[in-house]
Amino acid sequence: MTSAGIAAVFDTAATQYAAVSPLLWNPMGEATVATAGIRSGERVLDVCCGTGASAVPAARAAGPHGHVDAIDLAAELLAHGRRRAAAEGLRNVRFIQADATTWQDRPYDVVQCVHGVFFLPDMDVSVTRLTGLLRPGGRLAVTTWAQGAMENFGRLFAEAVEHVRRAPVAPPTSRQAASRIDTEDDLHTYMTARGLTRVVVTRFPLRIPLDSAVAWQVVLGSGFRGMLTGLAEPAVDHVRSAFGRLLRERGMTGLDATSLIGVGTRP
């Protein structure tokens, strides 16, 4: 999917993305900021920031003498982030519609990207470039799905979509990139290969109780929504019904959203 296509998917999902954040995105954002060890006065770049799940806690941690640049392609997600920061009275964060592959500002004490690096075109080149935006001694934090996380959920949702489309559904292009960094060893090796030192990978377990309403909220407030592209509203309703039925039949009552958080230092 092109950058414009990704932005369009997440723009459409903005309201649902914000709604599901307390269950899914916010805990991951808070955990990433804590693991990265953002300190008062530090300058932070948050890439693929969405509605601010990691940018807002980063701004809190950086304090009034620090600063956070939060960038994303999706304007509607950014608007939610601005409202959230304003509600908390945070003046040290700015939400900017920008492409991470061309962002020039530097240097930063911390660059963080929560569940976003696998959406970037040419993940290797993009992550190496983000590392170059750090000052010497600065930290890169990358959060990604652990192996097996979201898989059963995604498999059932794809089955529901295929039932309605009456055709196989291709896995998202981001899946192949994400699968390269879905174990502690793989993420450690990957970040070391980008020139980072003192890499530490932390597992963040997260399990969300699931019913059909919450499951559909997760679909609409995440990248899974892209699988509905091109379907008319009645067809989307059929997918929702089929998905709910599959969840009940297969007894899926929880969503495994376990993540890995890798933090490394630029020499």
Side-chain angles (χ1 to χ4, degrees):
M1 187 179 291
T2 65
S3 295
I6 292 170
V9 168
F10 284 101
D11 266 333
T12 305
T15 299
Q16 292 87 358
Y17 196 99
V20 81
S21 287
L23 288 175
L24 186 61
W25 306 120
N26 289 355
M28 294 175 190
E30 297 275 1
T32 300
V33 169
T35 304
I38 295 173
R39 300 182 289 269
S40 177
E42 288 196 311
R43 192 163 185 260
V44 180
L45 174 65
D46 190 297
V47 177
C48 304
C49 68
T51 60
S54 50
V56 167
R60 289 193 217 111
H65 299 296
H67 180 76
V68 178
D69 287 329
I71 64 173
D72 202 290
L73 292 170
E76 292 301 321
L77 294 181
L78 293 165
H80 279 276
R82 292 187 192 102
R83 288 193 290 271
R84 181 176 172 186
E88 293 199 24
L90 295 171
R91 299 182 179 180
N92 62 335
V93 55
R94 58 176 184 162
F95 288 86
I96 310 158
Q97 188 173 18
D99 189 333
T101 64
T102 58
W103 185 256
Q104 296 290 336
D105 206 356
R106 68 182 72 195
Y108 291 95
D109 298 294
V110 178
V111 174
Q112 61 183 18
C113 187
V114 180
H115 292 294
V117 295
F118 37 77
F119 287 116
L120 298 174
D122 196 331
M123 184 172 72
D124 295 357
V125 171
S126 297
V127 174
T128 299
R129 187 178 184 282
L130 293 178
T131 300
L133 299 179
L134 290 165
R135 64 166 176 80
R139 288 106 61 208
L140 177 71
V142 172
T143 301
T144 188
W145 300 114
Q147 190 175 71
M150 309 294 279
E151 283 188 10
N152 290 337
F153 182 93
R155 191 175 297 115
L156 285 192
F157 180 59
E159 188 174 335
V161 174
E162 289 174 352
H163 174 75
V164 173
R165 289 190 184 273
R166 301 186 183 280
V169 175
T173 55
S174 60
R175 181 175 175 181
Q176 183 176 2
S179 68
R180 295 175 52 204
I181 52 174
D182 64 2
T183 70
E184 284 91 335
D185 287 345
D186 286 345
L187 182 54
H188 187 284
T189 299
Y190 182 84
M191 295 183 72
T192 300
R194 309 280 81 74
L196 296 160
T197 62
R198 292 182 281 173
V199 175
V200 176
V201 178
T202 303
R203 178 173 287 259
F204 176 64
L206 180 62
R207 185 172 177 83
I208 300 170
L210 209 59
D211 59 23
S212 58
V214 172
W216 193 245
Q217 190 177 46
V218 170
V219 165
L220 296 184
S222 71
F224 286 117
R225 187 189 186 109
M227 296 169 70
L228 299 173
T229 300
L231 289 178
E233 188 172 341
V236 171
D237 289 339
H238 286 311
V239 172
R240 180 175 185 174
S241 296
F243 187 38
R245 174 178 51 78
L246 287 170
L247 289 169
R248 291 189 297 273
E249 290 176 355
R250 310 291 169 84
M252 183 178 290
T253 58
L255 173 63
D256 178 8
T258 300
S259 295
L260 302 176
I261 305 169
V263 179
T265 301
R266 180 181 178 182

